[in-house]
Amino acid sequence: MEITVLGFWGAYPWNKEGTSSYLLKSSGFSLLIDAGSGTFNMLRETIEPLELDAVIISHYHHDHIADLGVLQYYRQLNQPEGHAELPIYGHTEHEFYFDALTMPKVSKGIPYEERTPITIGPFTVGFLRTRHPVPCFAMRITETSTGKNFVYTADSGYLNKFTDFIEGTNLLIADSYFLNGNEDNPVHFTAKEVGEMAKNGGVPKVLLSHLQQEIHLSLLKSQAEEAAGTGVDVLLAETGLTIVL
Ligand SMILES: [Zn+2]
Ligand SMILES: [Zn+2]
């Protein structure tokens, strides 16, 4: 499978680059994970949006859903008559936002819940409720045919149960919003927490994402590397970066 970063900033887009969004592909199936602000253009440069097979949303903060509505408009205005509705997976704990996933003839909201892994095309997706001010779910996404998998933390502060959730995964895409010194924050991880989590979970590769605009990213990377120790490959997210697992 192949994961492409379409946007990686936290909270708001910056320097013409967008907030959280990733395109996952396997066996001709394309799954969009979150639809952050300013990422629709990047999505269109990567794939014809009519060819998207499904979308999954971690939570309903604007930096994860801002471009979902315009994706629905694009499909509404450009899809041929009788085109299949786009399945958009989301949790149901915010009824207003869940209901907006459905647009007649264009898209259909499909609920997920923490306890029940789901199948989306060639993938199996398991969930973990994160530590965040609103209901938010991390995902462990497995390519069913190969068993390869990765974990996307979505947005979260430090949480012990992540250690089990990420154990043995091939890649950790982690909310790395804070430099060291902000540990145990209830909203986002720090570099150190991400690095330690990867080390404890035996994860070989970490992608630092959901980045903060006002900090030195090279420092963030070196702090994560120091905490992770040798044997963990630490990468900074950038638009268009593709990781093949
Ligand atoms: Zn966010
Ligand atoms: Zn959030």
Side-chain angles (χ1 to χ4, degrees):
M1 63 180 149
E2 195 180 286
I3 305 144
T4 300
V5 178
L6 304 180
F8 61 87
W9 291 117
Y12 49 87
W14 192 245
N15 292 338
K16 300 182 182 170
E17 295 186 291
T19 62
S20 292
S21 186
Y22 308 86
L23 182 65
L24 175 61
K25 287 189 189 174
S26 170
S27 315
F29 190 97
S30 300
L31 171 66
L32 184 69
I33 305 167
D34 285 344
S37 173
T39 58
F40 178 76
N41 283 327
M42 189 59 201
L43 174 69
R44 237 191 78 226
E45 283 179 26
T46 312
I47 186 179
E48 162 53 57
L50 291 177
E51 290 173 9
L52 264 184
D53 294 293
V55 179
I56 189 163
I57 298 295
S58 63
H59 67 307
Y60 302 118
H61 272 158
H62 296 300
D63 53 331
H64 298 254
I65 57 164
D67 277 14
L68 194 55
V70 292
L71 170 62
Q72 288 170 316
Y73 289 160
Y74 179 88
R75 290 182 62 117
Q76 182 182 40
L77 295 169
N78 292 285
Q79 69 188 14
E81 188 68 29
H83 194 269
E85 284 181 334
L86 179 69
I88 305 180
Y89 295 82
H91 70 71
T92 57
E93 293 180 36
H94 285 157
E95 202 180 341
F96 170 82
Y97 288 107
F98 179 76
D99 289 349
L101 303 182
T102 296
M103 179 184 265
K105 296 186 178 173
V106 175
S107 63
K108 174 108 183 104
I110 301 177
Y112 67 70
E113 54 176 23
E114 186 181 21
R115 289 165 190 275
T116 315
I118 57 173
T119 299
I120 304 177
F123 309 110
T124 307
V125 187
F127 301 96
L128 177 75
R129 184 183 293 271
T130 73
R131 180 181 178 190
H132 205 52
V134 298
C136 175
F137 294 88
M139 303 165 200
R140 183 166 173 140
I141 302 185
T142 302
E143 187 180 43
T144 315
S145 62
T146 63
K148 289 185 176 170
N149 61 77
F150 68 96
V151 169
Y152 168 50
T153 67
D155 286 8
S156 186
Y158 183 77
L159 202 56
N160 268 330
K161 52 186 183 174
F162 260 106
T163 309
D164 286 342
F165 192 66
I166 69 172
E167 194 174 356
T169 194
N170 303 107
L171 168 71
L172 175 64
I173 301 176
D175 171 353
S176 310
Y177 194 69
F178 288 122
L179 290 171
N180 293 353
N182 299 282
E183 281 68 36
D184 207 27
N185 181 277
V187 186
H188 300 295
F189 289 112
T190 67
K192 181 181 171 196
E193 288 170 335
V194 168
E196 284 178 352
M197 193 163 64
K199 182 166 82 174
N200 296 337
V203 179
K205 195 186 280 277
V206 179
L207 181 66
L208 308 177
S209 198
H210 202 277
L211 302 176
Q212 189 180 155
Q213 292 80 358
E214 287 85 8
I215 63 172
H216 287 291
L217 297 181
S218 54
L219 178 59
L220 183 87
K221 182 170 184 265
S222 63
Q223 290 182 343
E225 281 171 336
E226 192 184 340
T230 54
V232 184
D233 186 16
V234 178
L235 305 171
L236 276 174
E238 48 183 291
T239 305
L241 175 71
T242 295
I243 295 175
V244 179
L245 292 178

